[in-house]
Amino acid sequence: MVHTTAPACSPNIAILGAGAIGQLMYHQLCHTSPNQPSHDVVLISRQSHTQLQPLRFTDIKGQIHNTDAVLLGTKDPRLNEVKLLLVCVKAYQVEEALIPLLSKLSPQCHIILLHNGLGPHIAVSTALRPYPEQGLTLGTTSLAALAINQWHIKHTGVGVTQLGHYCGHPLANHLHARIQAIASQEQPVEWHQPVLAVLWQKLAVNAVINPLTALHQCANGQLADDEYREQITLIINELVAVAQCDGIELDPTLLTERVYKVIALTSANFSSMYQDVTHHRTTEIDYINGYICQRAQHHKLNVPVNQCLATKVASLS
């Protein structure tokens, strides 16, 4: 049951996007920082008013935790206290959800984008120009969570979270430490500078697994079959050529090995794009293969395999 009376809180860290990953980051930040004040971490609501929302979290060991989370309303003046904002919405939602909030956040707020694909960082970095003391970090995570229902998530997979400063003021040391506190041997947090090369490597994994599983309606492991090998090679070679024009040097052999390693490690999984297509939801194709095509067009390169995949998936969603 939602409590509609405005709860007391002093929001130091906020999470925009209360889906499975957003709630997972919320729980991890809360549970790894027991000495922080109550409601130091909040979720940002789509509603204008602030409310208290009971959350349930099943951790990786199967233990259940119940928490009352503050859903900070978009008209709550305490948005001005937020020093760190983790953006965990889908790539195609980033601009619409984030940019109207920039003027309401602390003038020194640091923003972390944590979504699949590439592209939103360009619009966000432009939108941040009027706010010279704010900063932007880009990241990606292979942590996995499953939504049991809207307000109950289950932590289903450990993995690495990779982050790196992109523009504006760097992340303050005490906030860096809060993010680092979620790290463990099973789920390391890595910091990379420059960060874009890491995100292009993750883009390669997504550019192979997401559209092929969505189009062939299969689990990730099926892509290890020989029938997909030539197409996977072409996807990667096109991506490497585009990345090179963007100043990012990638080794196609190492990238191919990485893609097949992820296919093996996640063989029983169904990709997010497979699930989006199955449930008739909007996909992030424009920010995965579509981003490769967009940058290729900028550099006057042809990427027929990625273009074909982007077109086919777009027609399904």
Side-chain angles (χ1 to χ4, degrees):
M1 182 176 178
V2 176
H3 305 281
T4 54
T5 52
C9 69
S10 181
N12 188 38
I13 300 175
I15 294 161
L16 181 62
I21 293 298
Q23 289 186 52
L24 177 60
M25 298 307 294
Y26 170 87
H27 289 295
Q28 297 226 316
L29 286 163
C30 289
H31 294 151
T32 54
S33 308
N35 298 325
Q36 296 300 324
S38 178
H39 296 314
D40 165 65
V41 184
V42 301
L43 295 161
I44 294 181
S45 173
R46 295 180 183 179
Q47 310 301 319
S48 58
H49 59 280
T50 295
Q51 58 194 33
L52 210 56
Q53 173 64 53
L55 300 182
R56 177 165 286 197
F57 174 53
T58 303
D59 68 23
I60 199 76
K61 296 176 182 175
Q63 295 179 316
I64 293 176
H65 308 260
N66 293 300
T67 311
D68 284 333
V70 172
L71 297 185
L72 202 64
T74 55
K75 291 186 178 178
D76 194 314
R78 288 173 293 185
L79 283 167
N80 190 251
E81 300 174 31
V82 174
K83 298 297 193 299
L84 176 63
L85 179 66
L86 275 73
V87 181
C88 300
V89 298
K90 295 280 193 177
Y92 54 80
Q93 298 170 319
V94 170
E95 290 179 52
E96 185 179 356
L98 172 62
I99 291 175
L101 288 177
L102 294 178
S103 63
K104 302 177 182 182
L105 300 169
S106 163
Q108 291 80 38
C109 185
H110 196 92
I111 294 155
I112 297 179
L113 298 186
L114 206 59
H115 57 75
N116 272 339
L118 276 170
H121 65 289
I122 297 171
V124 172
S125 60
T126 300
L128 281 172
R129 286 174 188 164
Y131 310 100
E133 293 183 81
Q134 293 185 356
L136 180 62
T137 286
L138 307 182
T140 181
T141 186
S142 30
L143 295 174
L146 175 68
I148 306 299
N149 57 48
Q150 185 180 2
W151 302 113
H152 177 194
I153 66 133
K154 181 180 181 181
H155 187 187
T156 55
V158 294
V160 62
T161 298
Q162 297 170 300
L163 301 162
H165 179 258
Y166 182 66
C167 68
H169 267 230
L171 183 64
N173 288 339
H174 70 286
L175 294 172
H176 187 288
R178 286 292 296 276
I179 296 294
Q180 192 62 43
I182 72 173
S184 67
Q185 187 173 355
E186 296 81 22
Q187 50 180 45
V189 175
E190 299 176 354
W191 301 85
H192 297 268
Q193 208 60 41
V195 70
L196 278 178
V198 170
L199 298 182
W200 272 92
Q201 290 171 32
K202 179 65 179 287
L203 186 70
V205 174
N206 281 326
V208 169
I209 293 176
N210 273 290
L212 292 181
T213 55
L215 291 170
H216 294 281
Q217 287 291 284
C218 65
N220 295 358
Q222 187 173 313
L223 302 183
D225 293 353
D226 284 344
E227 65 181 287
Y228 300 101
R229 186 165 296 275
E230 182 180 359
Q231 194 172 18
I232 288 172
T233 299
L234 292 171
I235 294 167
I236 291 169
N237 287 346
E238 289 181 359
L239 178 145
V240 168
V242 174
Q244 187 174 34
C245 290
D246 263 3
I248 307 292
E249 295 292 333
L250 300 171
D251 183 324
T253 302
L254 294 177
L255 211 50
T256 302
E257 289 174 1
R258 176 179 176 150
V259 168
Y260 276 101
K261 182 178 180 181
V262 174
I263 288 170
L265 288 171
T266 63
S267 61
N269 295 7
F270 291 92
S271 75
S272 59
M273 196 170 290
Y274 167 97
Q275 295 180 60
D276 287 339
V277 167
T278 300
H279 294 101
H280 308 290
R281 298 188 297 243
T282 304
T283 72
E284 293 177 291
I285 193 68
D286 289 346
Y287 301 90
I288 300 177
N289 305 80
Y291 182 74
I292 298 166
C293 298
Q294 177 193 331
R295 298 309 299 160
Q297 187 175 15
H298 177 80
H299 297 299
K300 297 181 171 55
L301 293 177
N302 289 320
V303 286
V305 177
N306 280 280
Q307 185 63 65
C308 180
L309 291 172
T311 302
K312 284 182 176 179
V313 172
S315 72
L316 292 178
S317 61

